Amino acid sequence: MSHAAALRPLPPPAAQPSTCYLCGGGRLALRYPARGGSQAPDASAYNCTSFGHRTHPPIWGCESCGLQFQWPLREAEELLGAYRDVEDPLYVAERDNRYLTFRRVLRHVGAHGEGQRLLDVGAYCGYFVDVAREAGYAAEGLELSRWAAEQARSLGLTVHGETLAQRAARGGSYDVLTLWDVVEHFADPREELRQAFRLVRPGGRIFLSTIDAGSLVARLLGAHWPWLMDMHLFYFDRTTLGALLEEVGFRVTRAVDYTHIVSSGYLLRKAGASFPWLAPLARLAGKVAPARLPIPISLGDNMLIEARRP
């Protein structure tokens, strides 16, 4: 290839997708037009605690299988660069409630690790790795954000700044993989789950949580559903995520609701950002409510799926 050809820019993406990412069907419809700015989001849009609830590119849906997804997607390398630059101090401020969330979710994974190898993908500041380690797992994490990985390492945790493909290429093998609120951020979730399959030993398990676009809350709120955001590239439901897991070789064994625990102050800020008409009431409530009161949140639009590698 000539140097000139190597530098030739890629053609712009088509104005609309031609086929569904999951099933390959061509019956696609624009579900939600773009909202917010036209500029590519910066790294802060991908913070776990992002308040960008009313900003997103066009979101398309497949009339055949139900998958919803952003189109066009940012280039994978561009996304990886943004993920590496993420810094999220508010997540650290919510640390106690993150630990409460992960100690609760550990009941699904297994409260006693007994030395099983566990890899938490998208470990962020390492709080689930720490909880799993306390429960007896030989726990490690993968995290691209340089800031978050250093937060985790400051707790004495093993966190690798690698992708799933890079980790799989090292020939590792784990009894348990966890992906808490991660799969919706992958530019190519099929390929990432293929790499996850390589990392799970036969008989091992994978656990994923993500927003549920097929939930009653999501369907009732439509364009006002708070989780339509720049940071969410794919919108799965229990059927579509299960189908993708089965396609790459896993066998789905369970699907349940997932509960987050957050402080009342954080919840009120989220409510005001998600529904602007609620913002004055949220600010008023914030003046009288104990800001650090832990609140469990489960509206049925967050799911946890467990699958096993045969």
Side-chain angles (χ1 to χ4, degrees), residues 76-145:
E77 285 302 316
E78 188 181 4
L79 279 167
L80 287 176
Y83 294 158
R84 292 187 180 102
D85 290 341
V86 161
E87 297 185 14
D88 193 359
L90 182 55
Y91 188 89
V92 177
E94 283 286 308
R95 168 179 167 159
D96 290 349
N97 292 310
R98 302 294 174 177
Y99 271 86
L100 290 174
T101 297
F102 289 138
R103 289 193 173 111
R104 183 185 185 115
V105 81
L106 192 68
R107 302 170 193 170
H108 296 286
V109 178
H112 304 287
E114 300 173 351
Q116 292 184 75
R117 294 195 71 200
L118 181 148
L119 182 67
D120 186 30
V121 181
Y124 222 46
C125 296
Y127 301 157
F128 182 74
V129 177
D130 199 19
V131 166
R133 183 180 64 168
E134 290 173 353
Y137 290 91
E140 306 169 19
L142 290 187
E143 178 52 51
L144 294 179
S145 163

Side-chain angles (χ1 to χ4, degrees), residues 1-2 9 30 43 56 117 123 128 140 160 188 217 227 229 251 260 281-282 284 291 297:
M1 177 185 296
S2 70
L30 178 63
H56 58 77
R117 294 195 71 200
F128 182 74
E140 306 169 19
H160 312 283
D188 187 352
V217 168
W227 305 124
M229 304 172 70
R251 296 294 175 264
H260 289 273
L281 291 175
L284 180 62
I297 300 298

Side-chain angles (χ1 to χ4, degrees), residues 49 51 53 90 263-275 282:
T49 62
F51 288 88
H53 293 286
L90 182 55
S263 70
S264 57
Y266 179 78
L267 176 61
L268 288 170
R269 287 183 63 189
K270 280 284 189 181
S274 301
F275 306 103

Side-chain angles (χ1 to χ4, degrees), residues 24-96:
R27 297 175 57 233
L28 304 173
L30 178 63
R31 293 288 175 83
Y32 307 109
R35 289 191 299 185
S38 58
Q39 299 297 316
D42 62 19
S44 66
Y46 302 101
N47 287 5
C48 182
T49 62
S50 171
F51 288 88
H53 293 286
R54 308 187 73 80
T55 301
H56 58 77
I59 297 171
W60 291 76
C62 177
E63 300 293 308
S64 298
C65 72
L67 181 71
Q68 298 178 46
F69 53 94
Q70 283 188 20
W71 185 270
L73 285 174
R74 295 178 71 179
E75 292 293 329
E77 285 302 316
E78 188 181 4
L79 279 167
L80 287 176
Y83 294 158
R84 292 187 180 102
D85 290 341
V86 161
E87 297 185 14
D88 193 359
L90 182 55
Y91 188 89
V92 177
E94 283 286 308
R95 168 179 167 159
D96 290 349

Side-chain angles (χ1 to χ4, degrees), residues 87-301:
E87 297 185 14
D88 193 359
L90 182 55
Y91 188 89
V92 177
E94 283 286 308
R95 168 179 167 159
D96 290 349
N97 292 310
R98 302 294 174 177
Y99 271 86
L100 290 174
T101 297
F102 289 138
R103 289 193 173 111
R104 183 185 185 115
V105 81
L106 192 68
R107 302 170 193 170
H108 296 286
V109 178
H112 304 287
E114 300 173 351
Q116 292 184 75
R117 294 195 71 200
L118 181 148
L119 182 67
D120 186 30
V121 181
Y124 222 46
C125 296
Y127 301 157
F128 182 74
V129 177
D130 199 19
V131 166
R133 183 180 64 168
E134 290 173 353
Y137 290 91
E140 306 169 19
L142 290 187
E143 178 52 51
L144 294 179
S145 163
R146 291 179 285 258
W147 169 86
E150 284 306 311
Q151 294 287 324
R153 291 173 190 135
S154 73
L155 300 177
L157 305 173
T158 299
V159 172
H160 312 283
E162 299 175 330
T163 64
L164 274 162
Q166 289 168 334
R167 195 71 198 155
R170 297 181 185 275
S173 178
Y174 295 88
D175 301 287
V176 178
L177 254 66
T178 55
L179 296 89
W180 307 127
D181 300 318
V182 171
V183 69
E184 66 272 22
H185 303 289
F186 287 142
D188 187 352
R190 176 183 286 108
E191 180 57 27
E192 299 292 349
L193 291 178
R194 283 175 177 154
Q195 299 300 329
F197 186 83
R198 292 175 60 193
L199 283 163
V200 177
R201 66 165 181 80
R205 299 170 297 155
I206 184 171
F207 295 84
L208 307 90
S209 68
T210 186
I211 50 179
D212 183 356
S215 64
L216 179 61
V217 168
R219 288 184 281 115
L220 287 176
L221 291 178
H224 301 291
W225 190 39
W227 305 124
L228 303 177
M229 304 172 70
D230 277 323
M231 67 193 300
H232 297 145
L233 310 184
F234 286 86
Y235 297 84
F236 295 99
D237 59 26
R238 298 186 185 201
T239 299
T240 53
L241 184 53
L244 187 57
L245 285 162
E246 298 266 348
E247 179 187 327
V248 303
F250 289 106
R251 296 294 175 264
V252 174
T253 55
R254 182 170 43 154
V256 297
D257 287 348
Y258 183 90
T259 299
H260 289 273
I261 299 175
V262 300
S263 70
S264 57
Y266 179 78
L267 176 61
L268 288 170
R269 287 183 63 189
K270 280 284 189 181
S274 301
F275 306 103
W277 59 272
L278 271 180
L281 291 175
R283 286 193 294 269
L284 180 62
K287 293 179 180 178
V288 297
R292 301 191 65 82
L293 181 68
I295 307 289
I297 300 298
S298 180
L299 301 178
D301 59 348

